[in-house]
Amino acid sequence: ARHPEYEHWNRSKHAELGVTCVTCHMPEAIDENGKAFTNHKVDKAMPYFKSSCKGCHSSQEKMKQRLTNLKHEINAKAKDVEELLVKAHYEAKAAWVAGANWEQMNDAIMDIRHSQWRWDFAMSSHGIYAHNPEEGRQLLNKAIEQAKSARSSLSKILKQLKV
């Protein structure tokens, strides 16, 4: 998970179809002499829809709407993870203060760490909603599951400690 943009793209439908970063973000252009060249002005793909996207996507408006929906969905899942993790951190702190030990806390702490890692990996790829929304959903759904597991474990620990 050192190069999230590449790693998410590498497992995407775009990668399967041979569509690369250059295809969408540096599309072919024509100079004043009619000669084709790769445009080195790295940019968003939408301004180049006709030259970079139209081959596979029929409508720019439908694509914009789909991307907007995916962005909202991914961001909502990310926010859910964030809220769960904040609560889990406060609950873990309460357990530590109440006298919990590592043996009691290990599973909850590992769930927090794994959830946070998945959130980090998904959200450090700024365009995951466009580049690989399926993987973004999977990562964030698993992060939600792990954060909930942490909170469940912490609830049991806090009950044991009578907090």
Side-chain angles (χ1 to χ4, degrees):
R2 292 184 179 217
H3 308 284
E5 298 286 353
Y6 171 77
E7 291 172 21
H8 293 308
W9 164 83
N10 192 41
R11 293 183 289 274
S12 72
K13 291 201 183 292
H14 282 128
E16 287 174 22
L17 296 170
V19 175
T20 68
C21 304
V22 171
T23 308
C24 299
H25 298 282
M26 296 171 59
E28 188 174 274
I30 307 294
D31 70 12
E32 62 276 352
N33 299 319
K35 186 175 178 182
F37 68 97
T38 300
N39 182 348
H40 283 78
K41 181 182 181 270
V42 179
D43 201 352
K44 294 179 180 177
M46 274 301 143
Y48 305 105
F49 180 85
K50 288 179 184 169
S51 60
S52 62
C53 307
K54 187 115 174 102
C56 298
H57 300 279
S58 60
S59 164
Q60 188 171 7
E61 286 309 311
K62 284 183 186 177
M63 190 169 162
K64 280 182 183 179
Q65 187 59 54
R66 176 167 163 67
L67 289 172
T68 297
N69 293 343
L70 288 167
K71 187 174 187 176
H72 287 304
E73 177 189 355
I74 296 291
N75 286 342
K77 285 185 183 296
K79 187 168 176 39
D80 289 346
V81 175
E82 293 161 14
E83 290 173 357
L84 289 165
L85 284 172
V86 166
K87 290 174 184 175
H89 277 93
Y90 278 108
E91 292 158 351
K93 172 69 174 175
W96 289 120
V97 168
N101 60 47
W102 272 106
E103 186 178 333
Q104 290 171 298
M105 294 291 285
N106 187 63
D107 290 344
I109 296 301
M110 291 307 291
D111 278 340
I112 289 170
R113 288 178 178 164
H114 290 166
S115 177
Q116 182 68 56
W117 185 90
R118 283 176 172 78
W119 180 92
D120 288 343
F121 187 38
M123 300 315 290
S124 62
S125 176
H126 303 292
I128 195 163
Y129 66 93
H131 298 140
N132 195 339
E134 295 81 11
E135 187 163 90
R137 277 189 204 101
Q138 290 170 352
L139 286 164
L140 293 169
N141 285 339
K142 186 66 175 179
I144 289 168
E145 177 187 319
Q146 289 170 314
K148 285 180 178 180
S149 175
R151 293 197 66 215
S152 176
S153 295
L154 290 163
S155 175
K156 290 174 189 168
I157 294 166
L158 289 166
K159 283 180 186 169
Q160 288 172 351
L161 297 170
K162 301 188 189 317
V163 176

